[in-house]
Amino acid sequence: MRGLLQLFAAYGNFLLFGFLELLALILVVSFNQRQGAIWDNSWGMATAMFDQSADWLGEQWALRDEMIKLQGENIRLMEQLDNARYSNAVRQDTFLRDSTEQLFTYIPANVISNSTIGTANYLRLDKGSNHGVRPNMGVISSDGIVGVVRAVTPHYSQVMSLLHRETRIKAALSRSGYFGTLTWNGKNARLMQLEAIPKHAVVAEGDTVVTSGYSQLFPQGLAVGTVKSFDFSGGGNFYNIQVMLRNDLNKLRYVYVIENEMWKEHKELDEAVNE
Amino acid sequence: MNNTVIWNIIRFFVLVALQGLFLKRISDGWVTGSLYINIFLYPLFILLLPLQTPRTGVLLLSFLMGISVDLFYDSPGVHAAALTAMGYARSLFLSLYEPREGYKLNARPTPGDLSMNWFLKYSASLMGLHLLVYFSVDAFSPIYILGILLRTFFTFVSSMAAILIFVFIFMPKR
């Protein structure tokens, strides 16, 4: 009560002023035809606008939920594909043919920063070691490959983009099966170079370039892009192939991090060889 | 003191009658719409209230005055809104324009008791504010901004002339 009195002592005149103005404006809009009409009109517009933004917000939330659900659904389907499974088959006519194990699993992630300018581009994802992301995991989007995880923190991970001068990714021509190495010359964000395809291979414009599956980072047969042009400039025994990327890294939003379930065995083998 | 109160009560009724019965006819009859000219004399009542009037009193009186004029203009609330804003701003401008030695005891806010310069600043500020608020509330939409400013300007000139004439005739130097 004391506080209330003090409030009135301090701001009483202002409150009275506000009250009288409010009263006057209520009178204005209730008893003047013209001002009343303008008021009704504006009020209707304001409420309509508010309703609209509320609807929009609700839709966005619904879309977000739907997005997460669809990501999960995509992963479930991708993990059932042949290229995501390890086959134990040794002879085609045995029952072992159906015995497969999960080889690749996927972790959904959102891109929170990205760059395609310069020659050393990185992107950052909102998933990290807490969600199972480790360095040297491949990253793909629904349109193609994106890059390789370089570093992780509990909540975030840093991905070396395909658009990096040090990118070396094994890729194959899907029609002929010859494989080479994808690199980027730093010029065009949609064009990569496929090197080390031998001269005797048959190459045509429009050939599909896919992941070779030799790197343990990406499942075999993921589409990367198409051959845009090729020549032998430089005079070597290998093609210079320009590959048009399928996915536009300039507008990347949702990606999947690929986990190779058998990475430990590969590591053991690597160590055994190096000893 | 009692004398002052009675004079102010009389001034209240005179100004309301003058505004509602006479000045309204002038703006209605002679120059409708096209020239944007009105003459508003009634805010003079708030201008001439004694300097010591409590702010609460000023606010209530400005609302009352505004509503009374609204009765004649058949525009409930429009004059009241504008005059209440002016009544609230009055003490702000009074302290803003306070002479270095302060206001003299029992001085009236007139050019005779203070100075012409002071009264012009004081009345012009408050009238400008009043007219701007009045025409804004009257138009009730920012899309009429040009009309609002033109009306404010022309009415300001004519009203200030009327106020100065009134003050020189009825509030001579004591």
Side-chain angles (χ1 to χ4, degrees):
Chain A
M1 195 60 206
R2 230 183 93 114
L4 202 66
L5 284 178
Q6 275 173 341
L7 188 77
F8 269 108
Y11 299 109
N13 284 324
F14 182 72
L15 292 176
L16 179 66
F17 166 65
F19 170 75
L20 290 177
E21 282 292 351
L22 194 68
L23 191 62
L25 287 177
I26 290 172
L27 288 175
V28 169
V29 296
S30 343
F31 296 109
N32 293 275
Q33 214 175 8
R34 207 167 54 79
Q35 284 94 333
I38 294 178
W39 171 259
D40 288 346
N41 226 331
S42 311
W43 182 248
M45 250 154 47
T47 49
M49 218 146 76
F50 178 79
D51 281 357
Q52 224 170 24
S53 357
D55 280 358
W56 182 83
L57 215 66
E59 261 170 43
Q60 292 300 307
W61 278 105
L63 277 179
R64 238 175 94 98
D65 285 354
E66 198 66 14
M67 184 70 217
I68 291 169
K69 235 161 60 183
L70 283 175
Q71 269 184 329
E73 191 79 356
N74 278 349
I75 285 173
R76 222 164 54 78
L77 293 171
M78 285 197 297
E79 288 176 351
Q80 283 175 9
L81 288 176
D82 274 350
N83 67 5
R85 297 190 73 85
Y86 174 83
S87 169
N88 281 315
V90 285
R91 273 170 56 191
Q92 275 217 332
D93 54 348
T94 65
F95 66 93
L96 283 172
R97 181 179 168 179
D98 289 330
S99 170
T100 58
E101 288 174 44
Q102 196 68 47
L103 179 55
F104 290 111
T105 55
Y106 299 86
I107 302 160
N110 301 310
V111 177
I112 56 170
S113 81
N114 186 8
S115 76
T116 55
I117 311 165
T119 58
N121 294 303
Y122 288 90
L123 25 97
R124 193 161 289 185
L125 311 181
D126 68 346
K127 297 287 184 295
S129 54
N130 282 355
H131 314 95
V133 180
R134 287 190 315 270
N136 291 321
M137 282 184 167
V139 179
I140 59 169
S141 73
S142 51
D143 282 336
I145 58 178
V146 170
V148 178
V149 177
R150 274 284 163 258
V152 292
T153 60
H155 294 96
Y156 297 101
S157 50
Q158 184 88 346
V159 175
M160 185 174 104
S161 168
L162 278 186
L163 307 179
H164 192 291
R165 58 174 182 267
E166 284 165 22
T167 297
R168 299 284 182 275
I169 288 176
K170 291 277 190 295
L173 294 164
S174 104
R175 199 158 60 101
S176 55
Y178 285 98
F179 74 92
T181 308
L182 267 182
T183 59
W184 190 54
N185 62 11
K187 284 176 187 155
N188 186 332
R190 295 300 307 276
L191 283 183
M192 289 189 76
Q193 289 69 45
L194 184 58
E195 293 171 354
I197 299 282
K199 207 169 180 174
H200 59 267
V202 179
V203 178
E205 279 179 25
D207 273 0
T208 311
V209 177
V210 297
T211 52
S212 65
Y214 288 166
S215 66
Q216 289 94 48
L217 292 180
F218 300 102
Q220 191 186 348
L222 287 181
V224 176
T226 52
V227 173
K228 185 168 181 270
S229 64
F230 56 88
D231 57 42
F232 294 98
S233 69
N237 285 320
F238 299 101
Y239 281 96
N240 288 317
I241 300 178
Q242 299 288 326
V243 179
M244 187 72 177
L245 286 180
R246 235 182 117 211
N247 61 347
D248 189 348
L249 292 175
N250 287 306
K251 53 174 191 183
L252 210 53
R253 185 72 198 281
Y254 305 103
V255 296
Y256 303 95
V257 181
I258 305 170
E259 174 163 25
N260 188 328
E261 296 286 333
M262 298 179 183
W263 67 283
K264 280 199 176 114
E265 290 188 33
H266 285 293
K267 206 172 155 194
E268 278 170 28
L269 283 176
D270 287 345
E271 281 165 5
V273 170
N274 286 340
E275 268 164 18
Chain B
M1 190 62 200
N2 256 339
N3 220 2
T4 317
V5 172
I6 291 166
W7 271 118
N8 273 290
I9 292 171
I10 293 173
R11 198 181 295 127
F12 180 93
F13 287 109
V14 168
L15 284 173
V16 169
L18 204 58
Q19 184 71 44
L21 298 175
F22 179 59
L23 293 175
K24 175 176 185 272
R25 300 300 154 102
I26 291 183
S27 18
D28 277 356
W30 294 350
V31 277
T32 30
S34 58
L35 277 174
Y36 303 110
I37 292 179
N38 290 287
I39 300 173
F40 285 170
L41 191 57
Y42 68 95
L44 190 61
F45 171 72
I46 301 301
L47 289 178
L48 291 182
L49 281 175
L51 289 173
Q52 300 87 348
T53 318
R55 206 171 178 186
T56 314
V58 175
L59 276 172
L60 290 171
L61 283 172
S62 20
F63 187 77
L64 190 65
M65 183 78 181
I67 282 290
S68 312
V69 175
D70 275 329
L71 290 181
F72 287 95
Y73 273 74
D74 196 21
S75 61
V78 183
H79 286 93
L83 202 62
T84 307
M86 177 179 153
Y88 186 73
R90 191 183 106 122
S91 64
L92 302 177
F93 283 111
L94 275 180
S95 53
L96 185 67
Y97 298 141
E98 186 169 0
R100 201 174 300 152
E101 63 274 17
Y103 292 112
K104 275 186 232 124
L105 201 63
N106 287 331
R108 300 174 303 172
T110 60
D113 283 19
L114 286 143
S115 70
M116 189 64 208
N117 187 18
W118 180 88
F119 185 76
L120 275 180
K121 278 194 296 187
Y122 167 69
S123 55
S125 312
L126 288 177
M127 279 307 288
L129 177 76
H130 172 260
L131 293 173
L132 195 63
V133 177
Y134 172 79
F135 286 115
S136 304
V137 176
D138 185 50
F140 215 68
S141 170
I143 60 169
Y144 301 123
I145 182 71
L146 189 65
I148 292 172
L149 292 177
L150 283 175
R151 277 165 215 262
T152 302
F153 176 74
F154 289 117
T155 307
F156 177 78
V157 173
S158 52
S159 300
M160 281 303 287
I163 283 174
L164 290 177
I165 292 169
F166 188 97
V167 166
F168 279 120
I169 295 175
F170 294 105
M171 310 289 283
K173 195 168 182 147
R174 276 192 296 206

